[in-house]
């Protein structure tokens, strides 16, 4: 690991001021000389591996604003401060009661130790675990733009089938983000050019020609809060995560489902897919296919077909298409069977 | 899950608590990289990013500029050391810094030494190599691999087993199966990382490194560095996971020793997990073809087992598990053949039950297929083919309790409740499947020395250069001494893991308990004789009881008639404070030079199928239940039951723990473990515990271990059959059979994953 400067700002505005500079708008946050660190569960690992090489780290754990560490629940929203730990949110009974999908997407992620360290703001910004991205001797368009993609013709069992490009097929591995994108969450962002509120669905960028640009954030912008609107579908919601082992593994396929039902009929469905896409993946085609239909095995299957209509498999990950569909079918039926 | 300390049954020892349990769970056990050494410098490896070619130029300028860097050891810096030798003590013949040829991905190209670990790592990452890159061959199907017969390439695999006329029997068989199976590359990934700490004092070299073979390493390292073996010491008191990976010494040990000599300071190099994949051994990838023919009565008439194994370009590492599969059942005829496939890979090596795990996986999967083809219960099919004698040499088994194991395990499992029809058992959305398989492991022993000191106050010190690799060998060696000398375990201390102690063989092949306990027993018996002679001598405390049988109990010499003399009084009568005996044990069939070879680090193994009088194996039977989700096809294992018979069980707690760990590993081999290889570049891709999957606690539910009583006086004086490697043999086949039972899909290539079942 290279030596770096470590500083501890005590307020959001101080952190932003320390991070701003000409570079903050020129390069993506992941390539900036100054980077923020919270739980460090992903960044510290990637610094050791040489994947990312900040000159300076700003530790957000010393920020004084209490709201950063609070979960606020009222009649129509759940608001998570960005420094709330994953474990804390996963274990919050009110979060679980109001929206099981949120709690489960956190609980099924990582391990207890990691959940106790990782912040929610950092969690949604975690980077891909593509093996070729993690190991710096391979070419990788995300790590070194223009160097090529070793995964495309390489070992790509865990790679994405949705939202890929000719430059990158790396999976977005997070779980919580699938819940957020399904539930129309927003993020509060503060930066040197002011505050803004962004739809969570717009936070991550598909790889396209520039897989190194992963989010809409500038290097001097901080996520301060995540807000999830509560709606008729929130309580009948579920996160189903299918993986190679029972715990402590990334999803091969996952489905975040929230349903507003009128008897047997779907009034409104919210669906996102994980483990199969390059970014948190809202499956609007599947939602549309269910709208106004009686939810049964057949309509669930139609929705799943719609969700994966544009899927593009590579040599080792073709199984993710049938697996992704069945994961969604199972999640829809299990969610239907929940009490509304 | 059954209790941690099962009540001993016949011929089974007490579940004595491990003598190092408290040290380990409180973090006080000092592992080799924990040893505090003054003025230590830190080493970090730089490794190749290609698998085949030559290093044309190495750029070290940036690395040397990192503050704190003391030295970079690379080509031309090995001080005329000899290249490593491939064999039982050496992992590979590749001397990575002796020659700029690159034989595999992740080959060492330099060792950076710096004042801090961080500086060493930073500098190692800054080393850049220019290569003359050649197209590598990754595995079986790659262009450019070289295939050759395995027989005769390794002293442990002299010939392909055969018996009778296979071709004729195969042609005549009424029911036949002819199938292919495969097992992937697997890496050990012990939680204790690989490390070397080298300390010179004058011309004396001490190496602290996790090792399963301190005596062998001492001799081999002395050879490489051209030192007198008496001036080399290998210290490895505790080992955090070995399973074969710390058996043979790798090239790193000599490189770190050379670095320490160059800078005149101790050097410690802890290898990171990614680099371990290329610098250590691993389980070779194997392929199998099994042809099995049987009559309608279920009797096997023809058994053909062909195996192919990947190894490195220069080294003929042989897995060779046909020795065991060819002797498993009462086949009418046997034909086996093993081939090596040389590719651009590092040299594979031992990994828990090296030959048996992959080969028995193929055999036992085939046995289940044949049982299905015959419409026969798989347990009944094995019962019908239970042999009187092993089919290759016609020798009897020294003992064989396989059917007892099947009976006890199937009862505990509830096998009779299994509906044999495929896909017939279900619970809600979960398909239920049940399968079983045989476990087998050869029982061997090797020469071993031990020193035992017994003092007047009843203190016992046992010294033996064996290795506590987590099996509990220190505890059972102590138990043996406590039992023979009639004292409590609280009076016993056991020293191991140091080449300065009496030599023991490599801790591999499940020989340690038998070999070490036999040597300890011999030393204790010599002490007993001296004490008894003194106790019954003229004017001694038990004078006149010369003909009565004497024993040691509760720190007393006791007679059959109930008379006794305090230990202290006997020592007083002898006018000595301590008795010390040095004993050398050599198993039956040892050559006249067997003991001198032990000191030279080349122990002979005896037992298994090699003895004249009988073949010696431990057996077991494992039963597995799987659940497979009918939508998403993930496979879970709610319970596994194994029954094992392994002669005298020294300690039911450590025995159960070994077998349980083996079965859990077997589940991992069935469902999780595989090293991924980029076939274009012959490079390992999933080099960490994030992507190299092993079971986590949540994957393991009920594990039931049954210790089946068995007595075998032929195997060795201690009557012990090693069981450290028995538990994970057969498990993967039992899982595969259960998956078939649940789904009707026969998965022949490990690991079995959702990918195989979802289509």
């Amino acid at each position: 690991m290279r030596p770096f400067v470590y500083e501890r700002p005590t307020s959001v505005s101080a952190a932003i001021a320390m991070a701003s500079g000409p570079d903050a708008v020129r390069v993506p946050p992941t390539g900036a000389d100054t980077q923020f660190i919270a739980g460090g569960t992903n960044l510290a690992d990637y610094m050791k591996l040489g994947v990312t090489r900040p000159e300076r780290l700003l530790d957000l754990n010393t920020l004084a604003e209490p709201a950063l560490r609070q979960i606020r629940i009222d009649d129509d929203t759940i608001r998570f401060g960005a420094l709330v730990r994953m474990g804390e949110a996963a274990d919050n009974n009110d979060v679980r009661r109001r929206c099981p999908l949120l709690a489960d997407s956190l609980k099924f992620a990582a391990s207890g130790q990691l959940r106790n360290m990782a912040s929610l703001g950092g969690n949604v910004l975690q980077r891909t675990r593509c093996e070729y991205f993690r190991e710096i001797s391979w070419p990788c368009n995300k790590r070194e733009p223009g160097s090529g993609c070793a995964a495309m013709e390489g070992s790509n069992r865990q790679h994405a089938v949705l939202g890929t490009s000719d430059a990158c097929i790396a999976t977005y591995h997070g779980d919580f983000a699938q819940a957020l994108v399904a539930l129309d969450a927003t993020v509060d962002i503060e930066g040197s050019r002011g505050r803004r509120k962004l739809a969570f669905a717009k936070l991550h960028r598909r790889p396209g020609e520039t897989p190194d640009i992963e989010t809409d954030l500038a290097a001097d912008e901080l996520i301060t809060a995540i807000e999830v609107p509560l709606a008729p579908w929130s309580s009948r919601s579920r996160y189903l995560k299918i993986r190679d082992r029972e715990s402590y593994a990334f999803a091969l396929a996952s489905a975040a489902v929230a349903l507003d039902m009128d008897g047997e009929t779907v009034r409104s469905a919210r669906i996102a897919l994980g483990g199969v896409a390059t970014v948190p993946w809202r499956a609007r085609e599947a939602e549309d296919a269910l709208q106004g239909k009686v939810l049964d095995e057949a309509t669930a299957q139609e929705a799943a077909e719609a969700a994966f209509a544009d899927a593009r498999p590579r040599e080792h990950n073709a199984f993710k298409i049938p697996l992704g569909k069945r994961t969604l079918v199972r999640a829809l039926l299990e969610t239907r069977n929940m009490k509304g | 899950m059954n209790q941690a300390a099962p009540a001993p049954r016949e011929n089974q020892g007490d579940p004595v608590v491990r003598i190092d349990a408290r040290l380990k769970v409180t973090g006080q056990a000092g592992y080799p990289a924990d040893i505090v050494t003054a003025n230590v410098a830190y080493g970090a490896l730089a490794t190749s990013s290609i698998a085949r070619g030559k290093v044309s130029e190495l750029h070290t300028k940036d690395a040397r500029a990192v503050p704190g860097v003391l030295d970079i050891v690379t080509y031309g810096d090995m001080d005329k050391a000899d290249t490593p030798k491939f064999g039982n003590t050496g992992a590979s013949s590749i001397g990575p810094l002796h020659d700029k040829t690159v034989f595999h991905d992740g080959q060492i190209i330099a060792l950076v030494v710096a004042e801090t670990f961080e500086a060493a790592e930073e500098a190692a990452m800054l080393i850049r190599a220019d290569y003359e890159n050649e197209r590598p061959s990754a595995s079986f199907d790659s262009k450019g691999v070289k295939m050759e017969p395995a027989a005769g390439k390794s002293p442990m695999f002299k010939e392909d087993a055969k018996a009778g006329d296979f071709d004729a029997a195969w042609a005549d068989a009424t029911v036949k199966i002819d199938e292919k199976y495969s097992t992937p590359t697997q890496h050990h990934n012990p939680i204790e990382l690989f490390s070397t700490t080298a300390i010179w004092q004058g011309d004396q070299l001490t190496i602290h490194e996790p090792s399963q073979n301190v005596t062998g390493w001492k001799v081999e390292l002395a050879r490489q560095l051209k030192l007198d073996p008496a001036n080399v010491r290998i210290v490895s008191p505790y080992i955090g996971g070995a399973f074969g990976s710390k058996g043979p010494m790798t090239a790193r040990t000599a490189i770190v020793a050379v670095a320490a000599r160059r800078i005149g300071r101790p050097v410690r190099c802890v290898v990171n997990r990614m680099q371990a994949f290329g610098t250590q051994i691993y389980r070779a990838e194997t392929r199998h073809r099994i042809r099995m023919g049987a009559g309608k009565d279920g009797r096997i008439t023809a058994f053909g087992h062909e195996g192919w194994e990947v190894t490195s370009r220069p080294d003929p590492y042989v897995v060779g598990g046909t020795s065991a599969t060819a002797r498993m059942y009462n086949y009418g005829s046997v034909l086996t053949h093993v081939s090596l496939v040389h590719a651009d890979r590092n040299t594979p090596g031992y990994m828990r039950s090296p030959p048996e795990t992959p080969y028995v996986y193929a055999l036992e999967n085939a046995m289940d297929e044949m049982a299905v083809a015959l419409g026969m219960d798989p347990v009944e099919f094995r019962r019908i083919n239970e042999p009187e004698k092993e089919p290759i040499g016609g020798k009897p088994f020294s003992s064989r309790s396989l059917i007892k194991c099947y009976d006890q395990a199937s009862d505990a499992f509830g096998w009779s409740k299994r509906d044999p029809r495929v896909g017939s058992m279900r619970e809600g959305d979960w398909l239920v499947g049940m399968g079983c398989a045989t476990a087998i492991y050869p029982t061997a022993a090797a020469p071993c020395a031990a020193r035992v000191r017994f003092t007047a106050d009843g203190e016992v010190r046992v010294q033996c250069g064996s290795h506590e690799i987590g099996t509990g060998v220190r505890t059972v060696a102590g138990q043996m001494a406590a039992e023979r000398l009639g004292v409590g375990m609280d009076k016993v201390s056991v020293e191991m893991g140091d080449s300065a102690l009496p030599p023991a063989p490599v801790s591999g092949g499940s020989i340690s308990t038998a070999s070490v306990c036999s040597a300890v027993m011999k030393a204790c018996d010599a002490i007993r004789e001296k004490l008894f002679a003194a106790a019954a001598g003229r004017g001694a405390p038990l004078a006149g009881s010369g003909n009565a049988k004497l024993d040691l109990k509760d720190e007393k010499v006791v007679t059959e008639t109930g008379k006794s003399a305090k230990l202290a009084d006997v020592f007083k009568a002898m006018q000595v404070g301590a008795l010390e005996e040095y004993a050398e044990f050599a198993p039956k069939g040892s050559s006249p030079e067997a003991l001198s070879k032990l000191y030279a680090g080349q122990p002979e193994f005896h037992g298994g199928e090699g003895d004249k009088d009988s073949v010696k194996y431990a057996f077991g039977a494992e039963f597995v239940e799987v659940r497979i989700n009918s939508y998403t096809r993930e496979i879970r294992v709610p319970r596994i039951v194994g029954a094992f018979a392994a002669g005298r069980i020294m300690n039911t707690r450590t025995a159960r723990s070994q077998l349980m760990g083996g079965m859990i590993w077997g589940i991992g081999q069935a469902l999780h473990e595989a090293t991924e290889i980029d076939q274009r570049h012959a490079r390992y891709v999933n080099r960490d515990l994030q992507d190299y999957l092993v079971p986590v606690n949540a994957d393991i539910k009920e594990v039931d271990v049954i210790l089946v009583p068995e007595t075998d006086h032929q195997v060795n004086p201690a009557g012990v059959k090693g069981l450290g490697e028995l538990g994970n043999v057969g498990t993967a086949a039992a899982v595969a059979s259960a998956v078939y039972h649940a789904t009707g899909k026969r998965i022949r290539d490990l690991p079995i994953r959702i990918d195989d079942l979802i289509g």
Side-chain angles (χ1 to χ4, degrees):
Chain A
M1 196 195 287
R2 298 195 314 172
F4 56 88
V5 174
Y6 170 78
E7 292 182 80
R8 297 195 287 181
T10 53
S11 70
V12 170
S13 55
I16 290 164
M18 288 161 85
S20 38
D23 261 6
V25 282
R26 265 208 315 266
V27 296
T30 51
D33 285 345
T34 296
Q35 295 184 24
F36 299 119
I37 186 166
T41 57
N42 192 195
L43 181 61
D45 186 25
Y46 281 178
M47 286 173 68
K48 287 183 196 167
L49 294 170
V51 170
T52 188
R53 298 161 171 242
E55 303 281 345
R56 185 166 70 142
L57 288 186
L58 304 179
D59 188 343
L60 303 179
N61 294 299
T62 47
L63 302 185
E65 289 85 345
L68 292 169
R69 294 179 184 78
Q70 287 167 357
I71 302 173
R72 276 192 8 229
I73 305 175
D74 55 33
D75 286 349
D76 53 9
T77 51
I78 301 181
R79 190 179 164 84
F80 298 100
L83 285 178
V84 169
R85 305 293 146 169
M86 288 172 74
E88 208 180 324
D91 296 340
N92 184 300
N93 286 331
D94 292 325
V95 171
R96 172 164 301 281
R97 189 170 51 80
R98 301 293 293 273
C99 188
L101 166 57
L102 283 171
D104 281 346
S105 70
L106 289 160
K107 196 183 92 182
F108 296 154
S111 66
Q113 294 90 333
L114 290 167
R115 291 195 295 271
N116 287 341
M117 285 296 288
S119 70
L120 295 183
N123 173 267
V124 299
L125 297 176
Q126 68 178 297
R127 308 189 69 193
T128 185
R129 265 54 172 208
C130 168
E131 297 104 325
Y132 295 100
F133 171 75
R134 284 169 60 82
E135 154 61 271
I136 58 171
S137 62
W138 292 103
C140 172
N141 288 325
K142 188 185 273 297
R143 186 170 19 79
E144 279 177 61
S147 61
C149 172
M152 204 70 75
E153 306 299 331
S155 192
N156 47 34
R157 176 177 185 259
Q158 58 152 277
H159 288 75
V161 293
L162 291 169
T164 59
S165 73
D166 292 338
C168 184
I169 56 170
T171 304
Y172 175 83
H173 283 99
D175 297 301
F176 185 46
Q178 316 305 339
L180 296 176
V181 77
L183 297 168
D184 294 320
T186 56
V187 284
D188 287 4
I189 296 166
E190 266 188 70
S192 59
R193 286 156 304 286
R195 295 182 183 186
R196 61 188 177 123
K197 201 180 246 320
L198 185 70
F200 188 81
K202 293 199 167 151
L203 179 63
H204 294 85
R205 292 197 190 172
R206 293 196 197 183
E209 301 282 299
T210 53
D212 57 313
I213 302 173
E214 297 175 352
T215 66
D216 193 57
L217 294 176
D220 62 355
E221 281 187 312
L222 261 183
I223 294 177
T224 54
I226 298 167
E227 203 166 272
V228 184
L230 290 170
W233 51 76
S234 304
S235 57
R236 181 178 272 177
S237 68
R238 191 171 183 83
Y239 188 66
L240 177 65
K241 181 175 180 181
I242 305 302
R243 39 189 164 171
D244 281 316
R245 61 184 174 194
E246 188 80 25
S247 177
Y248 196 30
F250 294 109
L252 294 169
S254 70
V257 172
L259 295 175
D260 177 17
M261 303 289 289
D262 178 8
E264 304 276 283
T265 305
V266 177
R267 209 179 277 138
S268 183
R270 292 288 182 280
I271 300 171
L273 303 171
V276 292
T278 53
V279 290
W281 192 263
R282 180 80 176 260
R284 290 196 188 272
E285 299 81 0
E287 295 175 1
D288 294 346
L290 287 170
Q291 179 87 38
K293 300 261 177 66
V294 170
L295 178 52
D296 57 21
E297 188 118 18
T299 51
Q301 187 64 42
E302 278 166 30
E305 296 295 338
F308 284 88
D310 294 331
R312 286 171 51 190
R314 306 298 305 182
E315 189 183 353
H316 306 113
N317 66 356
F319 77 100
K320 284 194 170 183
I321 297 174
L323 177 63
K325 289 179 192 170
R326 293 204 204 170
T327 303
L328 178 52
V329 169
R330 182 177 156 193
L332 284 167
L333 298 177
E334 287 180 358
T335 311
R336 177 197 65 183
N337 296 342
M338 293 172 76
K339 282 197 184 117
Chain B
M1 189 120 16
N2 61 354
Q3 56 174 332
R9 299 163 78 185
E10 188 192 332
N11 199 27
Q12 297 179 354
D14 287 336
V16 169
V17 172
R18 289 166 192 266
I19 53 180
D20 40 25
R22 190 174 175 81
L23 288 177
K24 284 189 173 176
V25 299
T26 54
Q28 292 174 77
Y31 291 82
D34 300 332
I35 302 302
V36 176
T37 299
N39 201 28
V40 68
Y42 294 86
L45 299 173
T47 57
S48 73
S49 60
I50 66 159
R52 182 185 169 97
K54 242 184 164 49
V55 173
S56 50
E57 198 168 350
L58 201 69
H59 304 280
T60 58
K61 198 172 147 221
D62 291 349
R64 285 183 203 278
V66 171
V69 168
L70 299 166
D71 194 10
I72 296 178
V73 181
T74 182
Y75 303 104
D77 295 336
M78 283 301 288
D79 281 354
K80 297 186 180 130
D82 273 343
T83 50
K85 264 188 191 162
F86 167 69
N88 280 339
T89 47
S92 170
S93 63
I94 297 165
L97 298 184
H98 289 77
D99 174 1
K100 291 185 171 176
T101 307
V102 176
F103 291 94
H104 61 85
D105 173 37
Q107 182 174 313
I108 296 172
I109 57 175
L111 171 74
V112 178
V113 182
E115 292 285 355
T116 64
F117 170 73
E118 290 76 13
E121 286 264 298
E122 184 196 353
M125 283 180 85
L126 291 172
I127 290 180
R128 292 279 174 269
D130 295 335
Y131 300 102
E132 289 166 29
N133 205 341
E134 290 175 48
R135 192 187 176 82
S137 313
S139 184
F140 293 118
D141 298 326
S142 310
K143 272 190 200 158
V145 293
K146 188 184 138 216
M147 189 155 90
E148 61 174 355
K153 296 294 183 308
S154 152
M156 288 158 73
F157 192 80
K158 296 199 177 89
E159 57 185 7
D160 289 316
K162 53 171 81 89
D165 186 347
F166 171 83
D167 290 335
W170 172 247
D172 288 350
T174 15
V175 185
K176 294 184 191 190
I177 62 150
D178 182 353
E179 295 294 352
K180 291 186 172 134
Y181 306 87
S182 73
T183 65
T185 301
Q186 296 175 337
H187 278 79
H188 304 71
N189 282 301
I191 291 302
E192 180 204 22
L193 293 168
F194 300 96
S195 72
T196 305
T197 303
I199 305 166
W200 290 89
Q201 284 169 301
D203 58 359
Q204 304 215 347
L205 172 63
T206 303
I207 298 286
H208 295 270
E209 178 167 342
S211 170
Q212 296 171 251
N213 190 5
V214 290
T215 303
W217 289 24
K218 174 184 78 172
V219 176
E220 169 61 11
L221 186 61
R223 187 195 64 76
Q224 286 180 32
L225 298 178
K226 299 174 178 162
L227 299 169
D228 179 348
N231 285 339
V232 178
R233 184 175 164 206
I234 313 284
V235 187
S236 177
Y238 294 99
I239 300 161
F243 301 107
S245 67
K246 291 157 183 171
M249 192 172 72
T250 68
R252 181 189 68 251
T253 310
I255 295 170
V256 175
V258 165
R261 187 160 60 189
R262 281 163 62 94
I263 66 163
R265 283 171 65 172
V267 173
R268 169 164 296 157
C269 174
V270 179
V271 181
N272 68 42
R273 189 161 297 282
M274 280 181 136
Q275 291 179 334
F277 276 70
T279 59
Q280 296 292 142
I281 58 170
Y282 60 96
R283 192 192 290 284
E285 193 176 350
T286 69
R287 284 184 176 175
H288 308 260
R289 178 190 183 197
I290 291 199
R291 283 177 289 170
M292 192 181 281
K296 284 233 157 69
D297 58 357
R299 288 183 195 282
I300 302 169
T301 54
F303 172 62
H305 193 166
E306 292 158 83
W308 293 265
E309 309 163 358
V310 169
T311 186
S312 64
R313 288 284 176 193
D315 301 323
Y317 176 77
V318 181
V319 180
T322 45
S323 303
T325 60
R327 290 172 174 85
M328 184 83 102
Y329 299 111
N330 188 27
Y331 317 114
S333 63
V334 177
L335 183 72
T336 68
H337 186 70
V338 176
S339 302
L340 293 182
V341 174
H342 292 272
D344 298 301
R345 299 276 297 277
N346 48 327
T347 305
Y350 312 114
M351 186 176 191
R352 202 176 199 177
S353 18
E356 289 74 21
T357 296
Y359 277 79
V360 171
Y361 162 71
L363 165 61
E364 289 298 291
N365 217 340
M367 286 296 283
D368 196 70
E369 297 207 54
M370 183 53 110
V372 170
L374 290 162
M376 197 171 268
D377 177 76
V379 177
E380 188 56 25
F381 178 50
R382 287 170 174 96
R383 198 186 305 274
I384 287 173
N385 289 287
E386 179 69 359
E388 291 279 317
K389 293 182 170 179
E390 56 92 7
I392 305 303
K395 290 181 251 182
F397 293 85
S398 67
S399 58
R400 179 177 168 114
S401 308
L402 177 61
I403 298 302
K404 271 190 204 157
C405 292
Y406 266 107
D407 289 344
Q408 295 188 19
S410 67
D411 273 2
F413 183 81
W415 182 253
S416 59
K417 296 191 193 92
R418 172 182 182 260
D419 181 339
R421 293 169 304 159
V422 163
S424 62
M425 299 180 78
R426 198 178 168 119
E427 203 175 293
D429 284 339
W430 294 84
L431 307 170
V432 177
M434 298 180 181
C436 63
T438 302
I440 180 173
Y441 197 82
T443 298
C448 183
R451 186 188 292 120
V452 177
R453 170 190 282 205
F454 195 30
T455 56
D457 57 1
E459 298 281 341
V460 178
R461 187 174 71 180
V462 178
Q463 294 179 310
C464 175
S466 188
H467 320 83
E468 178 51 272
I469 55 175
T471 51
V473 68
R474 284 183 67 209
T475 306
V476 300
Q479 268 182 282
M480 176 58 87
E483 187 186 304
R484 301 304 288 175
L485 299 178
V487 300
M489 276 298 279
D490 57 325
K491 288 290 185 93
V492 182
S493 63
V494 184
E495 293 171 25
M496 284 189 181
D498 188 334
S499 65
L501 297 171
V506 54
S507 290
S510 295
I511 60 166
S512 287
T513 299
S515 311
V516 171
C517 286
S518 294
V520 171
M521 191 168 130
K522 195 169 170 185
C524 291
D525 288 354
I527 291 173
R528 283 163 65 97
E529 273 183 36
K530 283 189 179 166
L531 282 171
F532 295 164
R538 205 144 48 121
L542 298 175
S545 49
N547 291 331
K549 274 192 188 159
L550 298 180
D551 200 358
L552 280 164
K553 257 190 197 130
D554 304 328
E555 300 182 27
K556 287 184 205 115
V557 179
V558 297
T559 70
E560 273 185 326
T561 55
K563 283 199 274 183
S564 68
K566 278 188 192 158
L567 211 50
D569 293 336
V570 181
F571 273 88
K572 202 155 60 175
M574 295 172 80
Q575 298 183 30
V576 295
L579 290 172
E580 187 169 89
E581 284 293 333
Y582 186 98
E584 293 177 326
F585 159 75
K588 215 159 62 173
S590 292
S591 70
E593 64 275 18
L595 282 162
S596 33
K597 279 158 74 182
L598 168 67
Y599 291 81
Q602 298 294 333
E604 292 176 357
F605 277 40
H606 291 278
E609 60 274 351
D611 286 359
K612 287 200 177 101
D613 55 343
S614 61
V615 291
K616 301 172 174 68
Y617 291 100
F619 289 93
E622 299 185 17
F623 289 75
V624 173
E625 178 180 320
V626 300
R627 304 243 162 160
I628 298 169
N629 188 276
S630 60
Y631 287 99
T632 40
R633 301 277 153 170
E634 70 268 35
I635 310 163
R636 300 293 179 245
V637 181
R639 63 196 186 102
I640 176 167
V641 176
F644 305 91
R648 163 89 180 153
I649 301 298
M650 290 297 300
N651 178 324
T652 54
R653 180 197 302 271
T654 55
R656 171 186 172 274
S657 175
Q658 284 292 293
L659 293 163
M660 177 179 67
M663 287 156 76
I664 292 169
W665 196 343
I667 293 170
Q669 285 168 331
L671 302 176
H672 305 114
E673 262 191 79
T675 306
E676 276 178 51
I677 299 146
D678 188 301
Q679 295 290 329
R680 303 162 299 175
H681 302 281
R683 299 189 64 193
Y684 300 130
V685 175
N686 56 338
R687 299 189 301 162
D688 53 45
L689 289 175
Q690 170 189 290
D691 293 315
Y692 187 94
L693 298 181
V694 297
V696 294
N697 280 327
D699 291 299
I700 304 303
K701 312 289 187 195
E702 268 185 69
V703 181
D704 203 352
V705 177
I706 300 166
L707 299 168
V708 176
E710 183 183 68
T711 300
D712 188 331
H713 296 299
Q714 282 188 53
V715 282
N716 51 61
V720 162
K721 292 180 174 179
L723 49 69
E725 297 172 83
L726 182 60
N728 65 323
V729 180
T731 321
V735 174
S737 303
V739 168
Y740 172 78
H741 179 230
T743 64
K745 283 201 176 184
R746 180 69 65 177
I747 309 302
R748 301 183 179 90
D749 304 316
L750 291 181
I752 303 168
R753 287 181 170 166
I754 289 178
D755 323 22
D756 301 307
L757 302 178
I758 197 77

